[in-house]
């Protein structure tokens, strides 16, 4: 329902199984047996869903600014009243605090192309997602990148859920953006590239300054 894909109706029944099955269908169509998977924010949640459902297909996994569960609340009432553009103008400074005004405006204009009907269905569904137990089934070496100065959601400790992934490394960046991959793309891309190239090992937690 984003970009050039078909807008989804507001009553579309989203599910993590349908999305991860679509991903697997593409991988199968391309004739690939194992892949490296990278996801940001809710895309990171979906990437963890894929790696937990199809563990044999994932060689390595990197997720940037993710949670294994949806938000406690969404901006859906605000979006329905004021529109997608206004929602993004209100929330983008918190998500992408480090970016220049020009870069932030580019993000706003890009994301504002999302049809309201797509967001209505997606934002009713995504808060119901909880993969905290599912991620115990991820077999691949996994990199989790988060910001270290973001208030926690549904968790007593920062990124406690990451410990449910058996072979995972946690990189905590000393930044305040809630969308660390969008706000610090060069830093996060280098972390992911280095992780994918390096020999893999299981590390409980690594603070990154």
């Amino acid at each position: 329902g984003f970009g050039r894909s078909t807008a989804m109706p507001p009553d579309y029944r989203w599910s993590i199984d349908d999305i991860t099955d679509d991903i697997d269908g593409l991988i199968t169509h391309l004739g690939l047996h194992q892949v490296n998977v990278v996801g940001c924010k809710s895309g990171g949640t979906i990437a963890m869903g894929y790696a937990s459902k199809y563990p044999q297909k994932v060689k390595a996994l990197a997720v940037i600014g993710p949670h294994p569960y949806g938000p406690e609340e969404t901006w859906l009432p605000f979006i329905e009243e004021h529109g997608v553009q206004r929602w993004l103008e209100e929330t983008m400074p918190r998500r992408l605090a480090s970016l220049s005004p020009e870069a932030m405006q580019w993000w706003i204009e890009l994301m504002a192309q999302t049809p309201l009907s797509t967001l209505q269905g997606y934002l009713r569904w995504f808060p119901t997602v909880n993969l905290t137990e599912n991620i115990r089934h991820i077999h691949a070496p996994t990199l989790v990148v988060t910001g270290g100065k973001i208030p926690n959601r549904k968790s007593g400790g920062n990124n406690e859920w990451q410990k449910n992934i058996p072979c995972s490394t946690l990189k905590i960046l000393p930044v305040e953006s809630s969308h660390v991959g969008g706000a610090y793309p060069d830093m996060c891309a280098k972390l992911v590239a280095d992780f994918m190239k390096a020999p893999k090992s299981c590390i409980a937690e690594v603070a990154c300054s």
Side-chain angles (χ1 to χ4, degrees):
F2 178 74
R4 291 180 293 172
S5 60
T6 303
M8 305 307 293
D11 59 351
Y12 178 75
R13 297 180 66 85
W14 292 81
S15 80
I16 193 71
D17 284 333
D18 284 351
I19 297 173
T20 53
D21 288 348
D22 280 349
I23 295 170
D24 191 61
L26 174 61
I27 291 170
T28 301
H29 174 74
L30 295 173
L32 303 173
H33 301 290
Q34 268 201 327
V35 294
N36 294 325
V37 178
V38 181
C40 241
K41 290 287 284 179
S42 60
T45 308
I46 292 166
M48 290 189 288
Y50 180 79
S52 62
K53 187 174 182 180
Y54 295 95
Q56 73 282 5
K57 296 286 190 76
V58 180
K59 183 178 180 181
L61 171 68
V63 288
I64 300 95
H67 287 276
Y69 37 72
E72 293 178 332
E73 60 182 1
T74 74
W75 283 70
L76 187 54
F78 183 94
I79 295 168
E80 291 177 329
E81 181 177 355
H82 300 286
V84 177
Q85 179 92 15
R86 174 76 182 281
W87 163 59
L88 294 169
E89 291 169 349
E90 289 284 333
T91 60
M92 203 60 74
R94 176 173 52 84
R95 299 189 214 182
L96 302 173
S98 69
L99 295 186
S100 68
E102 294 79 14
M104 199 170 297
Q105 186 61 34
W106 181 90
W107 269 98
I108 290 171
E109 292 176 4
L110 176 69
M111 293 182 63
Q113 298 173 38
T114 309
L116 173 61
S117 63
T118 293
L119 281 173
Q120 286 173 313
Y122 187 82
L123 292 180
R124 289 191 186 101
W125 163 72
F126 195 62
T128 70
V129 173
N130 191 335
L131 304 177
T132 306
E133 292 301 316
N134 304 57
I135 60 178
R136 297 180 188 275
H137 301 293
I138 296 175
H139 295 169
T142 300
L143 173 67
V144 178
V145 181
T146 71
K149 300 180 180 180
I150 306 303
N152 300 315
R153 302 178 310 167
K154 300 181 183 178
S155 173
N158 192 28
N159 307 300
E160 284 294 312
W161 59 266
Q162 171 261 336
K163 298 175 183 176
N164 286 0
I165 303 177
C167 188
S168 60
T169 300
L170 177 62
K171 296 284 189 181
I172 303 175
L173 305 182
V175 299
E176 296 183 359
S177 171
S178 65
H179 190 348
V180 64
Y184 300 90
D186 294 342
M187 184 187 305
C188 292
K190 185 177 188 308
L191 285 172
V192 171
D194 290 346
F195 176 77
M196 293 298 181
K197 291 185 291 186
K200 305 299 185 290
S201 62
C202 294
I203 304 172
E205 181 169 338
V206 178
C208 181
S209 59

